[in-house]
Amino acid sequence: MKILTQEFKALLIGAKSKPSNVFYLIDTGTCRKKVVEHKKNITKFLENRDIKSYYFIECDFHNPREVLDKLLEIDSELVVRYTYLDMSTLTRNLGSYLMKAFQYTSGEIIYFEPMEYGKNLSQGLEKKNYFPDLGRNHDPSKEDVLIMFTGHELERAHLLAEDVDPDEVILMVPRGDDTDNHAKWNGHARKVGEELACKLPLRKDSIEIRYTPSHGYQTILCDLGKIIADFPQEKYNISFASMGTKISNLALNTATSTIEGLCVYDAVPENYNVEDYSKGVRIKNPYSFPLRIDDRIKTY
């Protein structure tokens, strides 16, 4: 059983066996013209390969429970079958929710990077939610620490930090990775992180920048462990904001699945740039991680 998003085409090409079912999730906020065109292309691709069991599911990516309910309506035993979960086009919140829902299921988490990102990924901040089961458990006797993975979105990160109003902010800013493409991505993200540090309405000694890879899962997970150790929950209310790469969000999902009492904010923008969020897909050497949480910790 496979749950895949729009890049599953590349996965199917290299897969050893055909999926028994394909679930293609479509965000109801996506540009309708692109959805119609893409559904035609995907249908043709699947039928040419004799894959007859596939479903297009339109859902609200900001309502993860609704997404899971719709999947289970079609197959109530989905969470116990071998599963490919492609998180490439999912929101970070939805990706984390499905990773937790399937964390005891055999299978793989797949991620395909885009060829490039658009210039303006989102605008404004509509509201501040929490990742499911990771809401704020605030103790007024403790200091509030916000740990934020920075990416290319300055405005939304700034608005979220102002809304949370923590005592301290730790910015997880990307540093060098292993490819030229990552170096370019990180260079832009570093500028965003440094500008964000200058703009935040906090004392400068309350803002710290720590550097971590943008796509190095194991190192990011270790860096998260160090930060959590530096701010013990006996003294601090720890919260996170995942606004970096999908790989950093995967590492955060692993950490929050194994350590209780952590909060993760979902910064919902006023709108996404659905017309030009990203272009193309790097189908060679996709990222692959165990879906089972225990294997994700042991293997990586």
Side-chain angles (χ1 to χ4, degrees), residues 234-250:
E234 293 78 13
K235 296 182 179 180
Y236 300 93
N237 297 307
I238 302 176
S239 60
F240 293 87
S242 182
M243 305 188 72
T245 63
K246 294 291 179 66
I247 302 301
S248 65
N249 190 62
L250 171 62

Side-chain angles (χ1 to χ4, degrees), residues 128 130 136 143-150 156-172 196 200 202 206-209 224 227 231 236-243 252 263-267:
K128 175 190 68 183
Y130 300 102
R136 189 179 187 186
E143 286 193 15
D144 296 328
V145 179
L146 173 63
I147 299 141
M148 181 179 293
F149 284 93
T150 64
R156 187 154 58 118
H158 186 203
L159 291 172
L160 177 66
E162 285 190 330
D163 193 297
V164 174
D165 191 25
D167 297 298
E168 297 185 51
V169 171
I170 311 297
L171 299 178
M172 301 286 281
L196 179 61
L200 291 177
L202 292 171
S206 298
I207 303 171
E208 180 183 352
I209 292 180
L224 276 172
I227 286 183
F231 295 93
Y236 300 93
N237 297 307
I238 302 176
S239 60
F240 293 87
S242 182
M243 305 188 72
L252 180 59
C263 162
V264 181
Y265 290 107
D266 178 23

Side-chain angles (χ1 to χ4, degrees), residues 21-34:
N21 282 332
V22 170
F23 294 84
Y24 175 69
L25 304 180
I26 304 171
D27 185 12
T28 50
T30 302
C31 173
R32 299 304 306 168
K33 182 179 179 181
K34 284 194 173 184

